[in-house]
Coordinates of all heavy atoms in Angstrom, one line a residue:
R1 N 56.4 28.0 -61.5 CA 57.5 27.4 -62.0 C 57.1 26.5 -63.2 O 57.9 26.3 -64.1 CB 58.1 26.5 -60.9 CG 59.4 25.8 -61.5 CD 60.0 24.9 -60.4 NE 60.8 23.9 -61.1 CZ 61.5 22.9 -60.5 NH1 61.5 22.7 -59.2 NH2 62.1 22.0 -61.2
L2 N 56.0 25.8 -63.2 CA 55.6 24.8 -64.1 C 54.7 25.4 -65.2 O 54.4 24.8 -66.2 CB 54.9 23.6 -63.5 CG 55.8 22.8 -62.5 CD1 55.0 21.6 -62.0 CD2 57.1 22.5 -63.2
G3 N 54.2 26.6 -65.0 CA 53.4 27.2 -65.9 C 52.0 27.5 -65.4 O 51.4 26.7 -64.6
E4 N 51.4 28.6 -65.8 CA 50.2 29.1 -65.2 C 48.9 28.1 -65.5 O 48.0 28.1 -64.8 CB 49.8 30.5 -65.7 CG 50.6 31.6 -65.1 CD 50.4 31.5 -63.5 OE1 49.3 31.5 -63.0 OE2 51.5 31.5 -62.8
K5 N 49.1 27.3 -66.5 CA 47.9 26.3 -66.8 C 47.9 25.2 -65.8 O 47.0 24.4 -65.7 CB 48.0 25.8 -68.1 CG 47.7 26.9 -69.3 CD 47.6 26.3 -70.6 CE 47.2 27.4 -71.6 NZ 47.0 26.8 -73.0
V6 N 49.0 24.9 -65.2 CA 49.1 23.9 -64.1 C 48.4 24.5 -62.8 O 48.6 25.6 -62.4 CB 50.6 23.5 -63.7 CG1 50.7 22.6 -62.5 CG2 51.3 23.0 -65.0
V7 N 47.6 23.5 -62.2 CA 46.9 23.9 -61.0 C 47.4 23.1 -59.8 O 47.4 21.8 -60.0 CB 45.3 23.7 -61.1 CG1 44.7 23.8 -59.8 CG2 44.8 24.8 -62.1
A8 N 47.8 23.7 -58.8 CA 48.4 23.0 -57.6 C 47.4 23.3 -56.4 O 47.3 24.4 -55.9 CB 49.7 23.5 -57.3
M9 N 46.7 22.2 -56.1 CA 45.6 22.3 -55.0 C 46.2 21.8 -53.7 O 46.6 20.6 -53.6 CB 44.4 21.5 -55.5 CG 43.2 21.4 -54.5 SD 41.9 20.5 -55.1 CE 41.2 21.7 -56.4
F10 N 46.0 22.6 -52.7 CA 46.6 22.3 -51.3 C 45.4 21.9 -50.4 O 44.5 22.6 -50.2 CB 47.3 23.5 -50.8 CG 48.2 23.2 -49.6 CD1 49.6 23.2 -49.8 CD2 47.9 22.9 -48.3 CE1 50.5 23.0 -48.8 CE2 48.6 22.7 -47.3 CZ 50.0 22.6 -47.5
T11 N 45.6 20.7 -49.8 CA 44.6 20.3 -48.8 C 45.3 20.1 -47.4 O 46.4 19.8 -47.3 CB 43.9 19.0 -49.2 OG1 44.8 17.9 -49.2 CG2 43.3 19.1 -50.6
I12 N 44.5 20.2 -46.4 CA 45.0 20.2 -45.0 C 44.7 18.9 -44.4 O 43.6 18.4 -44.3 CB 44.3 21.3 -44.2 CG1 44.5 22.7 -44.8 CG2 44.9 21.3 -42.7 CD1 45.9 23.2 -45.0
G13 N 45.8 18.3 -43.9 CA 45.7 17.0 -43.1 C 45.4 17.1 -41.7 O 44.8 18.2 -41.3
A14 N 45.7 16.1 -40.9 CA 45.6 16.2 -39.4 C 46.6 17.1 -38.9 O 47.7 16.7 -38.5 CB 45.6 14.8 -38.8
A15 N 46.2 18.4 -38.7 CA 47.2 19.4 -38.8 C 47.9 19.7 -37.4 O 47.3 19.7 -36.3 CB 46.6 20.7 -39.2
G16 N 49.2 19.9 -37.6 CA 50.0 20.5 -36.5 C 50.4 22.0 -36.8 O 49.5 22.7 -37.5
T17 N 51.4 22.6 -36.3 CA 51.7 24.0 -36.4 C 53.0 24.2 -37.2 O 53.9 23.3 -37.0 CB 51.7 24.7 -35.1 OG1 51.6 26.1 -35.3 CG2 52.8 24.3 -34.3
P18 N 53.2 25.2 -37.9 CA 54.6 25.4 -38.5 C 55.7 25.5 -37.5 O 55.5 26.1 -36.4 CB 54.4 26.8 -39.2 CG 52.9 26.9 -39.5 CD 52.3 26.2 -38.2
L19 N 56.9 24.9 -37.7 CA 58.0 25.1 -36.9 C 58.5 26.5 -36.8 O 59.0 26.9 -35.7 CB 59.0 24.1 -37.3 CG 59.1 22.7 -36.8 CD1 60.2 22.0 -37.5 CD2 59.4 22.7 -35.3
Y20 N 58.4 27.1 -37.9 CA 59.0 28.5 -38.0 C 57.9 29.5 -38.2 O 57.1 29.5 -39.1 CB 60.0 28.6 -39.1 CG 61.0 27.4 -39.1 CD1 60.9 26.4 -39.9 CD2 62.0 27.4 -38.1 CE1 61.7 25.3 -39.9 CE2 62.8 26.3 -38.0 CZ 62.7 25.3 -38.9 OH 63.6 24.2 -38.8
R21 N 57.7 30.4 -37.1 CA 56.7 31.5 -37.2 C 57.3 32.7 -36.6 O 58.4 32.7 -36.0 CB 55.5 31.0 -36.3 CG 54.8 29.8 -36.8 CD 53.7 29.3 -35.8 NE 52.6 30.3 -35.7 CZ 51.6 30.1 -34.9 NH1 51.5 28.9 -34.2 NH2 50.7 31.1 -34.8
S22 N 56.6 33.8 -36.9 CA 57.2 35.1 -36.6 C 56.6 35.5 -35.2 O 55.5 35.7 -34.9 CB 56.6 36.2 -37.5 OG 57.1 37.4 -37.2
H23 N 57.6 35.4 -34.2 CA 57.2 35.7 -32.8 C 58.0 37.0 -32.4 O 59.2 37.0 -32.5 CB 57.6 34.6 -31.9 CG 56.8 33.3 -32.2 ND1 55.4 33.3 -32.0 CD2 57.1 32.1 -32.8 CE1 55.0 32.0 -32.4 NE2 56.1 31.4 -32.7
P24 N 57.4 38.0 -31.8 CA 58.2 39.1 -31.3 C 58.9 38.7 -30.0 O 58.4 38.0 -29.2 CB 57.1 40.2 -30.9 CG 55.8 39.4 -30.8 CD 55.9 38.2 -31.7
D25 N 60.2 39.1 -29.9 CA 61.0 38.8 -28.8 C 62.0 39.9 -28.5 O 62.5 40.5 -29.5 CB 61.8 37.5 -29.1 CG 62.6 37.0 -27.9 OD1 63.7 37.6 -27.6 OD2 62.2 36.0 -27.4
P26 N 62.1 40.3 -27.2 CA 62.9 41.5 -26.9 C 64.3 41.3 -27.2 O 65.1 42.3 -27.4 CB 62.6 41.8 -25.5 CG 62.2 40.4 -25.0 CD 61.4 39.8 -26.1
Y27 N 64.9 40.1 -27.3 CA 66.3 39.8 -27.6 C 66.5 39.3 -29.0 O 67.6 39.7 -29.6 CB 66.8 38.8 -26.5 CG 66.7 39.3 -25.1 CD1 65.6 38.8 -24.3 CD2 67.4 40.2 -24.5 CE1 65.5 39.2 -23.0 CE2 67.3 40.7 -23.2 CZ 66.3 40.1 -22.5 OH 66.1 40.6 -21.2
Y28 N 65.7 38.5 -29.6 CA 65.9 37.9 -30.8 C 65.2 38.7 -31.9 O 65.5 38.5 -33.1 CB 65.5 36.5 -30.9 CG 66.2 35.6 -30.1 CD1 66.0 35.3 -28.7 CD2 67.5 34.9 -30.6 CE1 66.7 34.4 -28.0 CE2 68.2 34.1 -29.9 CZ 67.9 33.8 -28.5 OH 68.7 33.0 -27.9
G29 N 64.3 39.7 -31.6 CA 63.6 40.4 -32.6 C 62.5 39.6 -33.2 O 62.1 38.5 -32.7
Q30 N 61.9 40.1 -34.2 CA 60.8 39.5 -34.9 C 61.2 39.3 -36.4 O 61.6 40.3 -37.1 CB 59.5 40.4 -34.8 CG 58.4 39.7 -35.5 CD 57.1 40.4 -35.1 OE1 57.0 41.1 -34.2 NE2 56.0 40.1 -35.9
S31 N 61.0 38.1 -36.8 CA 61.3 37.8 -38.3 C 60.2 38.4 -39.1 O 59.1 38.6 -38.7 CB 61.5 36.3 -38.5 OG 60.4 35.6 -38.0
D32 N 60.4 38.3 -40.4 CA 59.4 38.8 -41.4 C 58.5 37.6 -41.8 O 59.0 36.7 -42.4 CB 60.1 39.4 -42.6 CG 59.1 39.9 -43.7 OD1 57.9 39.8 -43.5 OD2 59.6 40.4 -44.7
P33 N 57.3 37.6 -41.5 CA 56.3 36.5 -41.8 C 56.3 36.3 -43.3 O 56.1 35.2 -43.7 CB 54.9 36.9 -41.2 CG 55.1 38.4 -41.0 CD 56.5 38.7 -40.8
R34 N 56.4 37.3 -44.1 CA 56.4 37.1 -45.5 C 57.5 36.3 -46.1 O 57.4 35.5 -46.9 CB 56.3 38.5 -46.2 CG 55.1 39.4 -45.8 CD 55.3 40.9 -46.3 NE 54.3 41.7 -45.8 CZ 54.4 42.3 -44.6 NH1 55.5 42.0 -43.8 NH2 53.5 43.1 -44.1
A35 N 58.7 36.6 -45.5 CA 59.9 35.8 -45.8 C 59.8 34.3 -45.4 O 60.1 33.4 -46.2 CB 61.1 36.4 -45.2
I36 N 59.2 34.1 -44.2 CA 58.9 32.7 -43.8 C 58.0 32.1 -44.7 O 58.1 30.9 -45.2 CB 58.5 32.7 -42.3 CG1 59.5 33.2 -41.5 CG2 58.1 31.2 -41.9 CD1 59.1 33.4 -40.0
M37 N 56.9 32.7 -45.1 CA 55.9 32.2 -46.1 C 56.4 31.8 -47.3 O 56.2 30.8 -48.0 CB 54.7 33.2 -46.2 CG 53.7 32.7 -47.2 SD 52.3 33.9 -47.4 CE 53.1 35.3 -48.2
S38 N 57.3 32.7 -47.9 CA 57.9 32.6 -49.2 C 58.9 31.2 -49.0 O 59.0 30.5 -50.0 CB 58.7 33.7 -49.6 OG 59.5 33.4 -50.8
A39 N 59.6 31.1 -47.9 CA 60.5 29.9 -47.8 C 59.6 28.7 -47.7 O 60.1 27.7 -48.3 CB 61.3 30.1 -46.5
Y40 N 58.6 28.7 -47.0 CA 57.7 27.4 -46.9 C 57.2 27.1 -48.3 O 57.2 26.0 -48.7 CB 56.6 27.6 -46.0 CG 56.8 27.2 -44.6 CD1 57.5 28.0 -43.6 CD2 56.3 26.0 -44.2 CE1 57.8 27.5 -42.3 CE2 56.6 25.5 -42.9 CZ 57.3 26.2 -41.9 OH 57.5 25.8 -40.7
G41 N 56.8 28.2 -49.0 CA 56.3 27.9 -50.4 C 57.3 27.4 -51.3 O 57.0 26.3 -52.1
T42 N 58.6 27.8 -51.2 CA 59.6 27.2 -52.0 C 60.0 25.8 -51.7 O 60.1 24.9 -52.5 CB 60.9 28.2 -51.9 OG1 60.6 29.4 -52.3 CG2 62.0 27.6 -52.9
L43 N 60.2 25.5 -50.3 CA 60.6 24.2 -49.9 C 59.6 23.2 -50.1 O 59.8 22.1 -50.7 CB 61.0 24.3 -48.4 CG 62.2 25.1 -48.1 CD1 62.4 25.3 -46.6 CD2 63.5 24.4 -48.7
L44 N 58.3 23.5 -49.7 CA 57.3 22.5 -50.0 C 56.9 22.4 -51.4 O 56.7 21.3 -52.0 CB 56.0 23.0 -49.2 CG 55.9 22.5 -47.7 CD1 54.7 23.2 -47.0 CD2 55.8 21.0 -47.7
G45 N 56.9 23.5 -52.2 CA 56.8 23.4 -53.6 C 57.7 22.5 -54.3 O 57.5 21.7 -55.2
E46 N 59.0 22.6 -53.9 CA 60.1 21.8 -54.5 C 59.9 20.3 -54.1 O 60.1 19.5 -55.0 CB 61.5 22.3 -54.1 CG 61.9 23.6 -54.8 CD 62.2 23.2 -56.3 OE1 62.7 22.1 -56.6 OE2 61.9 24.1 -57.2

């Protein structure tokens, strides 16, 4: 979004787990982990 010369460095804190993950379920099905990853990237990036 800001240009390829910008560098965004991600560091890990005292970590928990993502609220939204792809879990297989016989009733709810399984979400696409790539879509969830993209959503996290957009929301946290913004």
Side-chain angles (χ1 to χ4, degrees):
R1 185 182 151 184
L2 299 183
E4 284 301 311
K5 290 187 177 181
V6 172
V7 170
M9 175 179 286
F10 197 105
T11 65
I12 305 294
T17 194
L19 269 173
Y20 310 105
R21 296 173 62 179
S22 180
H23 298 290
D25 186 282
Y27 301 104
Y28 290 92
Q30 181 169 344
S31 57
D32 182 356
R34 300 170 192 82
I36 299 175
M37 178 178 69
S38 178
Y40 266 85
T42 301
L43 290 171
L44 274 167
E46 281 294 323

